[in-house]
Amino acid sequence: MSAPTIAVYGSARIAPDDPRYVAGIALGAALATAGFRVVTGGYDGLMSAVSHGAREAGGEVLGYTVTAWDGLPANRWVTSAIDSSDLFDRLRRFSQVDLGIALDGGIGTLVEVAAAWNLLQVTTTARPLLLIGDAWVAFLAYAREHLVVGPADLRLVSTLPSGAGPAEIVAVVRLLLSAAPTSARIGG
């Protein structure tokens, strides 16, 4: 069985001097050290931070890029850039990972989370989704109050607050993967 593939979604706009960038490096390193293959969007910000940490820890880093958007190459930490033809192709690729993690982000990260969450609602082979950060906790509270979202929908995603450390995140990832149906696992 191949190493589980973990996608990490996050903002391209987080600068290297931001504490969240430093935390992203630590998360990437922890995931790679734990034996996971890491996937990011392949660009700057948190995607670069997580890729950096995973690569420096000796891990494999896939970058799901869309060069048709802007022609930008993947960040230097990506070991294999996989170019998608458009956003929908990229989302399809992300839907095939073993687990998704969302860090702080903007509209792009929100789209990735919404797609993953919707797949959890409508398929039996969707992958677990872990939202990390107080903004995601607040987003779920907003969804509970203002959207047509029931308790069963909210139970489909897991959350950790801002400040969760890499070891805690890896422990939750392992727990979520162990609870996922084997048929949903890429390597399973």
Side-chain angles (χ1 to χ4, degrees), residues 62-97:
L62 305 178
Y64 290 167
T65 58
V66 186
T67 55
W69 284 344
D70 49 27
L72 292 175
N75 68 64
R76 67 186 182 119
W77 306 107
V78 168
T79 56
S80 182
I82 300 169
D83 194 44
S84 300
S85 59
D86 56 32
L87 173 64
F88 301 104
D89 184 37
R90 184 186 203 193
L91 291 172
R92 192 173 307 105
R93 290 180 194 281
F94 274 129
S95 75
Q96 297 169 351
V97 301

Side-chain angles (χ1 to χ4, degrees), residues 2-18:
S2 63
T5 302
I6 309 301
V8 182
Y9 316 121
S11 175
R13 298 178 181 173
I14 303 291
D17 61 350
D18 189 303

Side-chain angles (χ1 to χ4, degrees), residues 85-146:
S85 59
D86 56 32
L87 173 64
F88 301 104
D89 184 37
R90 184 186 203 193
L91 291 172
R92 192 173 307 105
R93 290 180 194 281
F94 274 129
S95 75
Q96 297 169 351
V97 301
D98 292 304
L99 183 139
I101 295 174
L103 304 175
D104 288 346
I107 301 301
T109 305
L110 182 59
V111 167
E112 291 157 346
V113 166
W117 192 5
N118 186 235
L119 285 171
L120 285 165
Q121 287 181 301
V122 299
T123 69
T124 59
T125 59
R127 289 21 182 225
L129 179 61
L130 175 60
L131 308 178
I132 301 173
D134 296 339
W136 291 115
V137 174
F139 171 76
L140 290 180
Y142 179 88
R144 181 183 303 108
E145 185 173 336
H146 298 287

Side-chain angles (χ1 to χ4, degrees), residues 20-56:
R20 295 172 294 181
Y21 190 98
V22 175
I25 292 173
L27 175 59
L31 290 169
T33 300
F36 298 117
R37 181 175 27 192
V38 174
V39 175
T40 71
Y43 293 116
D44 291 332
L46 289 176
M47 294 176 279
S48 182
V50 171
S51 300
H52 178 168
R55 179 77 179 269
E56 284 208 332

